[in-house]
């Protein structure tokens, strides 16, 4: 049975390599988003039902392209709709009534 001794230098080298690997992971370019998404992908992305997606198409909220029987949505259109409907948070201070006298 062989015993290996781990020194502080070994741990420091391991730490440096680990930090370099983590930094590379976090700073790497994210995976390219597909330009066109099918209905199932849009429903998963937005966590909505087929009926809700249909309503978004019918009322003109979300533009689409239909080729054959397949409906496609532009990813940029989805992001634009989300951005247009974004509600900014308002800053409020926690002020419970029982503390105020």
């Amino acid at each position: 049975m062989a015993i290996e001794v781990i020194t502080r230098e070994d741990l420091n080298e391991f730490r440096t390599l680990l930090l370099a690997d983590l930094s590379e992971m976090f700073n790497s370019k994210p995976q390219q988003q597909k330009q066109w998404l099918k209905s199932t992908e849009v429903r998963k992305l937005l966590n909505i039902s087929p009926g809700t997606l249909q309503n978004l198409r019918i009322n003109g909220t979300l533009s689409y392209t239909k080729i054959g029987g397949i409906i496609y949505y532009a990813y940029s259109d989805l992001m634009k709709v989300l951005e247009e409907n974004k509600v900014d948070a308002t800053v409020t201070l926690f002020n419970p009534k029982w503390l105020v006298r």
Side-chain angles (χ1 to χ4, degrees):
M1 177 186 229
I3 297 176
E4 288 189 40
V5 177
I6 298 176
T7 64
R8 283 188 175 198
E9 290 81 23
D10 294 335
L11 290 174
N12 281 332
E13 182 180 348
F14 174 73
R15 182 179 136 268
T16 304
L17 292 172
L18 181 62
L19 288 173
D21 288 345
L22 288 173
S23 177
E24 184 180 330
M25 277 179 29
F26 287 121
N27 294 331
S28 67
K29 217 189 314 183
Q31 186 178 1
Q32 179 103 10
Q33 178 62 43
K34 291 177 15 178
Q35 183 178 0
W36 293 96
L37 303 171
K38 292 183 179 180
S39 294
T40 54
E41 296 169 317
V42 173
R43 288 191 295 115
K44 284 181 185 177
L45 184 66
L46 300 178
N47 195 24
I48 58 175
S49 69
T52 301
L53 185 56
Q54 182 178 7
N55 286 335
L56 292 174
R57 280 195 314 265
I58 291 170
N59 66 24
T61 302
L62 194 55
S63 57
Y64 63 95
T65 301
K66 187 172 184 178
I67 301 175
I70 301 174
I71 299 175
Y72 295 95
Y73 303 87
Y75 181 80
S76 59
D77 289 345
L78 287 170
M79 293 301 109
K80 187 169 68 172
V81 167
L82 289 173
E83 195 62 38
E84 288 171 355
N85 291 290
K86 184 170 100 173
V87 178
D88 291 327
T90 56
V91 178
T92 59
L93 297 175
F94 180 70
N95 193 7
K97 292 179 181 178
W98 56 272
L99 283 177
V100 178
R101 293 187 186 231

